[in-house]
Amino acid sequence: MCEILALKESVLIYLDRSGALEKLIEDCKSFDGPQQNDAVYRFYVRVSPTDLTEVDSVLGDFVLHNPRKATALFQSVCFLAIKTLSLVRKIHTENQVNVILKWTHLPPFPEYCLHLDTFPRGHVTMRPVLIEGLVVAMTRVTKYTGAARFLCTDDDCPAFTGFHHIRVHAPGATESATMRNDFICSMCSSPLKEDVKFRVLGGEISVKVIRMRFKKWKFLCEKMSVVVDKQLVELIHTKAIDALSAKQSSVRFQSVTFFLRDELCNSMRLGHLYSVVGIPAHVHQWPNITWSIEANGVRKLEREGPQNISNTLQELLQTTSSSPWRFSAILAHCFGLDVTPPGLYNTLKLVLLLSLVQTRAAAEETFHCLDLLIVTCDSLIVDRLMMYSLGFAPRGVRHRATGEMFASLCRDEHGTGNANIHAGSAFLASGGICMLGDLCFYQKDKLDTLESALESRHVSVFIPGRKYGEDSNDQLSFPVPCSFWALSDSTPSFHRPGRSVQAAVGAGDIGSVSMHLADAFGLVVQCQDEAGKDALATLTAHVLQQAVWPGEDLYPASIKLSCQDYKEERLP
C-alpha cells in the first residue's frame, strides 16, 4: 500500500512539473457545462519516459513495461485531483475518468524496436514498441463503442443506480469486451443491463477532445463535421520496398495490422512510410487468435538520401559551365554503361535522368512527376535500360500486367466486415517511379484507367455498400503519387512504305497505344535513330565483351561517373 501511495505521489509530481495538471484543469472546464452529461470523460496525458524516469524510476518502468497498471495510477491521481479541486461535478466515481497515455518517444534501445523482418513467434508482452513500415492496405473509418454504462438488475443493490459499472475500450480488446449481455454485478452477482442513453461512440469522444485540446483545429473540425473512430492499417517492413522493384529475392515479408483510433484515424496514407508507437495485443475471436498492434502515436518518415553532391559531379559542372548543354550531354553519354555502350540511346537516357530528377515529393505534399512513354522497335534493350534506371529512383516498382495498378478491395479479416483497400503498384511507388513495361500486354480497361489517372492525377475506388455491410455505396478518391514509365513496341516509320523519315514527333506509329493515351503522358520519346546496322553491331560487341570480361572497364577513355554519382545527382 505504501508503494502505491508513493507511485501516486510521483505521478502527481510529474503532472505538476510537466504542465499536465494545469492542462487537466483547463480540460475540465469544457466538461463541466450544463449540456455536458456523459458517463465517461476522456483525458489525454502526454508522457515522456525520460522525464518520468527522472522523477521516479519505478514509475518509469511501469509506463514502459506495464502500461495498464501505469494508466490505472494516472487515472486514480486525475480522479483525486478532479474531486479535490471540484473541477467536474458530474464525475462521481473513478470509472468515469478515462485516461489515455500518449508516449512522446521510446528509449533508443533494440528492446523497444519491433522489426517486422524478424517477426516474434512467441508470446509478446503488452508493452509499447516502435515499428517502422510501409502502408500496403487500409480500411475506411468506422465507428466503435468507446464506453458503456451498465446497471444492476437488483433493486436493492447499490449498483442499481450510479456509475459503478462502466466498460471502457482497452488496447487490443474487441467490441465484445465492451458490449455484451452476460456481464454480472461485482457486488451481488446479478445480471447487468446497459443504460443505452450513456453509450459513447469513439467518434463522439474524439471530436470533443480535438476541439478541446487542439484549439487551432477547432474551426476545421466544426466545418468538416467528420466523425473519426476506428481504422485498420497494414504495414510491411521498409526492406520490402527494395523487393518491389522485381529483383530476384528469396526473402518474404509479412504484414502486420494496426488499429488506429479516434484522432489517429486518417493520419496514414497508402504507400507512405511511418514510424508507429503501439502496444501489441492478441485479439481473441473464437476460434481464431489474431495478433495486432494498437497504435498510440504516428509519425511520417522520409527515406534519407545523399546529403551532398559528389566532387566528381561538381568538378564536371564547373568544367562544362561555358555551355548550357554540355553537362547534360556528358551525363547521358556515360549513363547506363552496364546496359548499352556510350553514345547509344542518348535521348532516352537523358529523359530518364530528367524524370528521375523531377520525381520527388515536396514538403507541402505536392508531387512533381514526368511520365514517359518510349516508342521503340527494340523493346528488349529499352526495357533493360529502364530497369537499370529504376534502381536510381527513391522508390521503384516494376508493375506486372496481371497485377493491380492502383487499388483492390477485399473483406477485412479482423471481423469488422469492412472493406480493406490494398495498395497497387502505383501507391507502393509513392514518391518514385512505377514502371509499366510494354503496354501491349495490358487490357483495354486497364489502359483506360491509366489514361484517366494520368490526366487527373487521381484515381477513384468504388466500394459497394451491400457487400461490405453499409447502407449506401461509397467512392473514395486517392491522388496518384508517382511517375509512370511505359514503352510501346513499334516498327519505325521509315521502315514502312509511304511514311516519311522526317515525320514530326508524335505523328509516327506508336504501336498499340491510342493517341489519347499517348497524349496523357508528359513526354513521348520515339527511339528511331537507334535502329541501324552500326548501332546493332556496337551493341552486340558491347554484350559480348561484358560476357567475356565481366567487371572489366570496357571504356577507359570515358569520364568516370559511378552509380553513386548519379544517385547524388537527384538532390534539388
Side-chain angles (χ1 to χ4, degrees):
M1 190 60 158
C2 296
E3 295 180 357
I4 298 298
L5 292 177
L7 290 175
K8 289 183 178 181
E9 183 179 357
S10 299
V11 171
L12 184 60
I13 294 175
Y14 174 77
L15 293 177
D16 186 32
R17 291 183 180 180
S18 62
L21 187 59
E22 182 180 355
K23 186 61 180 176
L24 176 67
I25 297 174
E26 292 295 327
D27 294 346
C28 289
K29 293 180 180 179
S30 301
F31 288 136
D32 203 27
Q35 298 179 351
Q36 196 76 30
N37 190 19
D38 295 333
V40 179
Y41 297 85
R42 176 175 295 185
F43 300 92
Y44 289 101
V45 178
R46 295 186 63 85
V47 175
S48 172
T50 303
D51 298 339
L52 191 61
T53 305
E54 292 180 357
V55 174
D56 191 330
S57 59
V58 178
L59 183 60
D61 182 76
F62 261 44
V63 169
L64 292 175
H65 297 89
N66 201 334
R68 284 190 174 180
K69 289 186 177 179
T71 302
L73 290 174
F74 276 83
Q75 177 184 1
S76 178
V77 173
C78 290
F79 172 71
L80 291 175
I82 292 173
K83 297 302 293 182
T84 303
L85 301 176
S86 301
L87 299 177
V88 182
R89 292 169 295 177
K90 299 176 183 179
I91 294 181
H92 305 285
T93 63
E94 187 175 317
N95 298 331
Q96 293 182 263
V97 179
N98 183 19
V99 173
I100 298 180
L101 303 182
K102 291 288 185 179
W103 295 283
T104 58
H105 66 282
L106 292 180
F109 302 121
E111 291 78 9
Y112 299 97
C113 298
L114 180 61
H115 297 283
L116 300 181
D117 56 344
T118 56
F119 195 78
R121 294 179 174 86
H123 178 71
V124 181
T125 58
M126 288 192 61
R127 62 177 180 84
V129 291
L130 178 67
I131 307 100
E132 294 181 357
L134 173 72
V135 178
V136 295
M138 62 194 314
T139 66
R140 292 178 298 172
V141 177
T142 56
K143 293 184 178 181
Y144 78 102
T145 304
R149 176 196 182 189
F150 292 86
L151 299 176
C152 184
T153 55
D154 188 357
D155 299 352
D156 298 330
C157 180
F160 182 73
T161 59
F163 298 89
H164 299 280
H165 295 96
I166 294 180
R167 305 289 298 185
V168 179
H169 170 77
T174 59
E175 288 287 322
S176 60
T178 307
M179 297 296 303
R180 264 202 333 261
N181 55 6
D182 58 348
F183 294 128
I184 60 175
C185 180
S186 60
M187 298 182 181
C188 65
S189 300
S190 299
L192 295 178
K193 64 178 181 179
E194 183 194 357
D195 189 359
V196 182
K197 65 181 180 180
F198 281 98
R199 180 185 296 182
V200 180
L201 294 179
E204 296 174 355
I205 296 179
S206 60
V207 171
K208 191 186 308 174
V209 173
I210 288 177
R211 290 178 179 175
M212 174 186 60
R213 291 188 56 82
F214 304 98
K215 296 182 179 180
K216 63 180 180 179
W217 290 357
K218 183 175 181 181
F219 173 76
L220 180 62
C221 290
E222 292 178 348
K223 183 178 180 181
M224 293 175 60
S225 65
V226 176
V227 178
V228 289
D229 294 77
K230 176 182 65 178
Q231 188 177 29
L232 276 66
V233 175
E234 290 186 23
L235 266 71
I236 59 175
H237 194 269
T238 53
K239 292 182 179 178
I241 300 176
D242 299 329
L244 297 175
S245 58
K247 296 180 181 179
Q248 296 296 329
S249 175
S250 59
V251 181
R252 300 184 64 183
F253 296 92
Q254 178 68 40
S255 65
V256 63
T257 301
F258 285 78
F259 280 81
L260 305 181
R261 299 186 188 272
D262 305 326
E263 78 284 351
L264 293 181
C265 291
N266 292 324
S267 62
M268 306 175 76
R269 295 170 54 186
L270 288 174
H272 287 245
L273 289 170
Y274 293 93
S275 174
V276 184
V277 175
I279 301 178
H282 291 88
V283 180
H284 297 265
Q285 293 177 333
W286 183 261
N288 300 321
I289 298 178
T290 59
W291 193 90
S292 61
I293 296 179
E294 189 93 7
N296 184 270
V298 177
R299 181 173 62 89
K300 188 176 179 181
L301 289 179
E302 297 291 345
R303 298 194 80 180
E304 294 184 359
Q307 301 298 322
N308 299 309
I309 299 178
S310 65
N311 295 330
T312 305
L313 283 176
Q314 293 183 12
E315 294 176 0
L316 179 61
L317 180 60
Q318 185 176 3
T319 305
T320 59
S321 59
S322 59
S323 172
W325 304 105
R326 188 173 301 173
F327 178 75
S328 302
I330 293 176
L331 288 179
H333 183 80
C334 302
F335 181 66
L337 296 183
D338 295 337
V339 181
T340 59
L344 202 61
Y345 289 97
N346 274 355
T347 304
L348 175 58
K349 294 177 183 179
L350 182 60
V351 296
L352 290 174
L353 289 174
L354 181 60
S355 180
L356 288 172
V357 173
Q358 184 70 9
T359 302
R360 57 184 177 86
E364 61 272 14
E365 294 294 333
T366 57
F367 185 76
H368 307 275
C369 60
L370 178 58
D371 305 308
L372 300 180
L373 175 62
I374 313 301
V375 182
T376 179
C377 60
D378 194 352
S379 58
L380 178 61
I381 299 301
V382 172
D383 185 83
R384 289 178 178 177
L385 189 57
M386 294 172 69
M387 277 297 300
Y388 174 82
S389 306
L390 195 64
F392 295 92
R395 190 187 303 176
V397 175
R398 174 65 187 266
H399 176 68
R400 301 299 182 184
T402 56
E404 190 62 45
M405 189 181 306
F406 296 105
S408 60
L409 295 178
C410 71
R411 188 175 295 276
D412 173 57
E413 299 178 354
H414 290 78
T416 63
N418 199 2
N420 201 10
I421 306 172
H422 286 263
S425 300
F427 293 113
L428 295 177
S430 296
I433 304 294
C434 180
M435 180 179 169
L436 303 178
D438 197 341
L439 295 182
C440 69
F441 296 105
Y442 289 79
Q443 298 180 357
K444 185 179 183 302
D445 58 338
K446 299 287 186 180
L447 296 180
D448 293 340
T449 305
L450 174 62
E451 179 182 347
S452 175
L454 291 174
E455 291 177 348
S456 63
R457 304 307 303 182
H458 281 77
V459 62
S460 298
V461 178
F462 176 76
I463 302 177
R466 179 176 300 179
K467 184 177 180 180
Y468 296 104
E470 296 292 337
D471 297 333
S472 59
N473 300 330
D474 195 4
Q475 187 166 343
L476 304 179
S477 180
F478 298 93
V480 179
C482 68
S483 297
F484 292 94
W485 288 355
L487 64 92
S488 177
D489 194 353
S490 174
T491 303
S493 300
F494 57 81
H495 280 185
R496 297 191 177 186
R499 297 291 183 92
S500 173
V501 180
Q502 304 297 331
V505 175
D509 192 1
I510 54 176
S512 59
V513 180
S514 65
M515 290 299 300
H516 294 285
L517 178 57
D519 292 339
F521 281 88
L523 186 60
V524 179
V525 181
Q526 294 179 324
C527 299
Q528 297 180 353
D529 55 335
E530 312 297 345
K533 293 183 178 180
D534 295 338
L536 180 60
T538 303
L539 187 59
T540 303
H542 172 79
V543 175
L544 291 176
Q545 287 178 352
Q546 280 194 326
V548 176
W549 301 299
E552 295 290 333
D553 190 1
L554 304 180
Y555 309 102
S558 301
I559 299 177
K560 303 298 182 183
L561 292 175
S562 64
C563 294
Q564 185 65 24
D565 293 332
Y566 283 100
K567 289 183 178 180
E568 294 174 355
E569 184 193 0
R570 293 192 61 259
L571 289 174

